[in-house]
Amino acid sequence: MSRLVLGVLALALTSVAGAALAQAQAWVQIEARPDLPTAEARAGAFAARLPDVAGFTLSSGWFAIALGPYSADQAQAELAQLLAQGAIPSDSYVSDGHEYGSRFWPAGAAAQAQPQPAAPTATAPVTAPAATPAVAQ
């Protein structure tokens, strides 16, 4: 009986810790697109010059392109750095990802588990921002 109680307690603590970790994740949302082919093309263009690109479905039917996951502080720092470099659209923002549904980018990512916050990365300067304006969510 005590093993059962310990097992249930361990499961509960693991669930609480997992939920806390998921809440600690943050993303830098850089674009949202109304159709999947365009969102995939834009995610690919960003992935060619930026690390940690991910794409998610939104409940609105749109598709979000984001960078991460990061800790909240790390996401703010990435946002500031990439905006200063002109590497991402000026209306990019930090999101906790609660509105993100299934992943569409990178290809095959939907079958993977949600990644843990990434270690800080050094981003190479980008010479010019994307020519296509971002669509705010």
Side-chain angles (χ1 to χ4, degrees), residues 26-31 52 54 65-72 74-80 82-83 88-89 92-96 100:
W27 303 82
V28 176
Q29 184 166 324
I30 54 179
E31 271 190 15
D52 306 322
I65 302 166
L67 305 175
Y70 305 112
S71 69
Q74 195 178 3
Q76 287 292 341
E78 288 287 325
L79 175 66
L82 294 169
L83 285 172
I88 58 175
S92 299
Y93 61 94
V94 172
S95 171
D96 64 7
Y100 295 163

Side-chain angles (χ1 to χ4, degrees), residues 92-131:
S92 299
Y93 61 94
V94 172
S95 171
D96 64 7
H98 76 275
E99 68 276 9
Y100 295 163
S102 61
R103 287 182 78 157
F104 69 86
W105 187 270
Q112 298 174 0
Q114 187 74 334
Q116 300 302 314
T121 59
T123 305
V126 177
T127 57

